[in-house]
């Protein structure tokens, strides 16, 4: 049974492209977020096009930690 996320726990959200870097020597194993939204620029398009998909991953930057802990405790007790 899936437990729904209460999105109101997030205080600051934005939508960006995201990639999990698997091969780069500089960022291998990192989650890379295009927070500056430069994936469509001519100089960056070739790098991000290899990642596929469209821009559209919601990223939460700040959240209410007390509410999150309460939600997590409730989910683990389920």
């Amino acid at each position: 049974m899936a437990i729904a996320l209460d999105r109101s726990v997030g205080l600051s959200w934005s939508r960006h492209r995201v990639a999990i870097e698997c091969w780069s020597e500089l960022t291998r194993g990192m989650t890379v977020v295009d927070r500056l939204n430069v994936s469509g620029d001519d100089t960056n398009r070739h790098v991000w096009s290899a990642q596929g998909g469209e821009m559209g991953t919601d990223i939460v930057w700040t959240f209410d930690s007390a509410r999150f802990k309460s939600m997590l405790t409730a989910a683990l007790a389920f």
Side-chain angles (χ1 to χ4, degrees), residues 16-24 27 30-34 39 44-55 57:
H16 302 281
R17 290 197 63 180
V18 174
I20 307 301
E21 184 57 68
C22 298
W23 305 108
S24 170
T27 58
M30 294 180 67
T31 301
V32 180
V33 177
D34 179 23
S39 61
N44 301 309
R45 188 173 291 125
H46 71 284
V47 175
W48 283 93
S49 65
Q51 302 302 320
E54 296 293 322
M55 181 180 196
T57 302

Side-chain angles (χ1 to χ4, degrees), residues 3-4 66-78:
I3 298 175
R67 286 190 58 214
F68 174 78
K69 288 176 184 176
S70 176
M71 289 170 47
L72 180 60
T73 300
L76 293 174
F78 181 67

